Amino acid sequence: MVTYTRRELLGMVGAAGAALGAGRKQPNILYMMTDDHASHAISAYGSRINHTPHIDRIAEGGVRFTNCFCTNSICTPSRAAILTGQYSHRNGVYTLNDRLDPNRNHVAKELQKAGYQTAMIGKWHLASDPTGFDYWNILPGQGVYYDPVFIEGGTKKQYQGYCTDLIGDFTLDWLKRRDPNKPFFVMSHHKAPHRPWQPAPKYADLFRDQTIPEPDNLYDHYEGRARSVADVKMRVGENMNRTDLKTDIPPGLKGDALRKWAYQLYIKDYLRCIQSVDDNVGRMLDYLETERLASDTIVIYTSDQGFFLGDHGWFDKRVMYEEALRMPFLMRYPAAIRPKSLNGDIALNIDFAPTFLDYAGAKPPAEMQGRSFRANVEGHTPKDWRKAMYYRYWMHNDGDHHVPAHYGIRTERWKLIYYYGRPLGMRGANPPDTQPEWELFDMRNDPREMKNLYSDPRHASVVRDLKAQLEKLQKEVGDTPA
Ligand code: CA
């Protein structure tokens, strides 16, 4: 239960009233994004395993998306898609090894043109230096959790402290010294809760004496699934190292027993990292309130993709299964979005940029492939809104996680995935030892994606229809088949 202060409530009511009038001013945009934070570890999304009171404040005061999906579920490509509003095959950032061309247009450049001051703070991870930001202070590459180095406008400096808190500090510092006469767009990107899940010292003992509930498919043994899925090396315990677990695996421990033991170590550290994120989200919201900016500011909380929290026995992301595909997406803007609203439309990471430009009163450039969901969040979903989404993971068998390249389609009811197993000349490890394989899931009757229906003759017409839809969608977005 979230309670607003009197001042916050008055601010919201005032802004809602002002929204009815003409010429509303350009809203500020505070975009907070974490790295690998799955929505099922957010209490507003019904988490059974943790409580995130500050992230929940955004949901309480705004809209919660239940079907926001990532177009390529891995860090660097998703970040590029968010900035450019384009799929990987269009923006050229397919894998972790690709770099964002600094000359490429993106949302911050367009917002600058629209009169915004822009800042990028925290994890960037796009190999080139940021462009389109008046101020930037980023982690080199992945960055580290403890006493991290930051690169501020090109100058490296090491800081004492915990990465998540420092990113909070730097974001607040910038907000305090910004030009108050211009709207702001700040991207505050946390490293947490990315592997190796190292918590702040103050949370080292959180959950110590508790047993965190296990997901119902922690002991998935992949019967009936594609062979390449059964071979994925993202198994909790089995595919973790000493840095992940912070201790040695007891000799002789293996199979389901190893998974059970390692799950507790893994999930507790993951959730401890999130607790610091939640604290810092609270600091940002408090600042907006104290400065009377809450009503004029669009606040976003999201993550670059989802994550497997022991689901299917896995950690990590990449595979087009729900836990990795789904992004948490919470958006608060009291002037236009009703508190506690829900949106189930299929939204994509490439839609964020056009949406922000829409709110800024700027026209998204033609090369952006996403679509503004402003009308959707305001309760008026366009009749021709998409009914299916296209996904493609390109980083074929990186030699570590062993996830084959694949693409697929997700509709409200179905998901069809094609593991094509060929790297198409992309960089990364070769050579493919996987044969092309398909999976079909009934998302209504099997939301945990345990039963592959692809070879079931009763679903032959569904498969035929989905293949046709997939081919059409792939062509529409400008991609080519494997
Ligand atoms: Ca990530």
Side-chain angles (χ1 to χ4, degrees):
M1 176 67 192
V2 169
T3 47
Y4 291 104
T5 61
R6 188 166 174 275
R7 183 200 272 179
E8 206 169 20
L9 278 172
L10 285 173
M12 289 177 188
V13 171
L20 300 171
R24 186 169 74 220
K25 66 179 189 174
Q26 292 173 308
N28 302 308
I29 303 170
L30 167 59
Y31 178 86
M32 293 180 282
M33 182 165 81
T34 36
D35 195 345
D36 298 356
H37 188 180
S39 53
H40 49 316
I42 295 175
S43 34
Y45 275 92
S47 169
R48 305 178 307 135
I49 56 175
N50 68 333
H51 189 49
T52 49
H54 297 295
I55 296 172
D56 292 1
R57 284 163 69 185
I58 306 172
E60 288 282 329
V63 61
R64 174 166 72 86
F65 277 73
T66 55
N67 286 314
C68 181
F69 299 122
C70 188
T71 50
N72 180 359
S73 180
I74 190 162
C75 306
T76 304
S78 180
R79 286 152 200 274
I82 288 165
L83 283 165
T84 61
Q86 296 176 315
Y87 291 91
S88 304
H89 61 267
R90 207 39 86 67
N91 65 35
V93 183
Y94 299 91
T95 74
L96 291 180
N97 304 320
D98 296 311
R99 115 192 221 278
L100 180 69
D101 177 354
N103 296 314
R104 190 169 280 277
N105 193 20
H106 64 66
V107 63
K109 294 182 186 183
E110 289 292 321
L111 285 169
Q112 271 183 332
K113 277 196 261 172
Y116 277 68
Q117 55 193 315
T118 59
M120 164 65 226
I121 294 155
K123 185 171 171 183
W124 171 249
H125 202 208
L126 285 160
S128 52
D129 283 345
T131 50
F133 294 95
D134 302 319
Y135 174 80
W136 54 272
N137 193 7
I138 60 169
L139 293 167
Q142 295 275 9
V144 296
Y145 278 104
Y146 306 125
D147 299 336
V149 168
F150 280 79
I151 310 171
E152 185 184 26
T155 307
K156 278 190 182 180
K157 188 179 167 188
Q158 188 176 13
Y159 295 82
Q160 300 273 301
Y162 187 61
C163 192
T164 306
D165 296 328
L166 289 166
I167 291 167
D169 291 346
F170 298 155
T171 306
L172 285 177
D173 289 347
W174 182 79
L175 285 171
K176 285 172 187 168
R177 63 171 190 270
R178 77 188 194 283
D179 176 355
N181 299 310
K182 277 175 139 184
F184 66 77
F185 173 61
V186 56
M187 302 186 96
S188 182
H189 291 186
H190 289 285
K191 169 185 175 55
H194 192 279
R195 190 181 187 180
W197 318 296
Q198 292 168 324
K202 69 173 171 179
Y203 287 130
D205 290 329
L206 187 68
F207 309 112
R208 170 149 287 182
D209 300 320
Q210 295 176 39
T211 302
I212 308 291
E214 294 174 353
D216 56 6
N217 56 3
L218 179 62
Y219 308 104
D220 190 354
H221 294 132
Y222 321 107
E223 292 91 353
R225 240 74 57 70
R227 190 175 60 88
S228 48
V229 167
D231 286 345
V232 163
K233 295 195 188 320
M234 306 195 308
R235 294 184 189 175
V236 172
E238 202 177 316
N239 302 128
M240 288 175 168
N241 57 40
R242 200 181 190 288
T243 309
D244 297 327
L245 294 166
K246 292 92 181 171
T247 184
D248 292 318
I249 296 174
L253 193 61
K254 55 188 181 208
D256 288 353
L258 169 60
R259 208 176 279 189
K260 186 178 191 67
W261 172 81
Y263 170 74
Q264 291 297 324
L265 295 179
Y266 155 54
I267 201 68
K268 286 180 182 180
D269 275 340
Y270 179 87
L271 297 177
R272 287 166 182 145
C273 290
I274 288 168
Q275 223 56 45
S276 287
V277 168
D278 192 65
D279 290 346
N280 280 283
V281 168
R283 293 172 73 200
M284 301 302 132
L285 298 179
D286 291 347
Y287 172 80
L288 295 180
E289 190 190 323
T290 308
E291 297 299 312
R292 309 184 75 112
L293 291 166
S295 57
D296 297 331
T297 303
I298 294 174
V299 177
I300 307 290
Y301 183 83
T302 187
S303 170
D304 60 347
Q305 8 69 208
F307 212 66
F308 295 103
L309 306 181
D311 314 279
H312 299 285
W314 290 335
F315 64 99
D316 218 84
K317 53 261 182 180
R318 303 161 192 265
V319 182
M320 195 196 169
Y321 282 11
E322 286 299 276
E323 295 81 4
L325 182 67
R326 185 181 303 284
M327 306 168 82
F329 193 87
L330 304 169
M331 180 172 181
R332 188 183 83 176
Y333 183 36
I337 301 173
R338 290 164 65 93
K340 295 185 186 177
S341 43
L342 273 183
N343 188 292
D345 300 332
I346 295 179
L348 303 175
N349 55 353
I350 56 171
D351 297 332
F352 302 174
T355 302
F356 300 158
L357 293 172
D358 193 355
Y359 272 106
K363 196 171 177 310
E367 72 267 18
M368 285 191 178
Q369 297 179 286
R371 182 172 175 187
S372 168
F373 49 66
R374 179 179 180 171
N376 309 53
V377 299
E378 295 181 6
H380 313 287
T381 297
K383 286 212 164 42
D384 62 346
W385 191 257
R386 71 171 73 83
K387 297 282 190 285
M389 63 85 59
Y390 176 68
Y391 178 85
R392 187 162 191 170
Y393 173 78
W394 295 81
M395 199 165 177
H396 179 77
N397 188 3
D398 65 354
D400 187 8
H401 302 81
H402 227 269
V403 175
H406 57 285
Y407 56 74
I409 184 171
R410 192 206 191 282
T411 65
E412 190 199 350
R413 174 79 188 269
W414 304 103
K415 186 187 288 179
L416 181 75
I417 313 175
Y418 180 50
Y419 303 93
Y420 54 88
R422 287 270 160 190
L424 278 177
M426 298 307 302
R427 279 179 283 169
N430 287 328
D433 57 358
T434 50
Q435 294 302 310
E437 296 172 281
W438 293 85
E439 286 185 330
L440 170 71
F441 295 106
D442 180 343
M443 303 310 297
R444 187 185 300 162
N445 296 313
D446 177 30
R448 299 292 278 160
E449 297 161 297
M450 298 297 285
K451 196 168 165 47
N452 176 15
L453 299 170
Y454 182 75
S455 302
D456 175 6
R458 284 167 302 180
H459 288 85
S461 66
V462 172
V463 166
R464 236 183 350 261
D465 176 56
L466 285 168
K467 280 187 178 174
Q469 279 194 61
L470 173 60
E471 193 180 330
K472 183 164 171 276
L473 191 53
Q474 188 172 52
K475 196 177 278 177
E476 272 171 19
V477 304
D479 197 12
T480 45

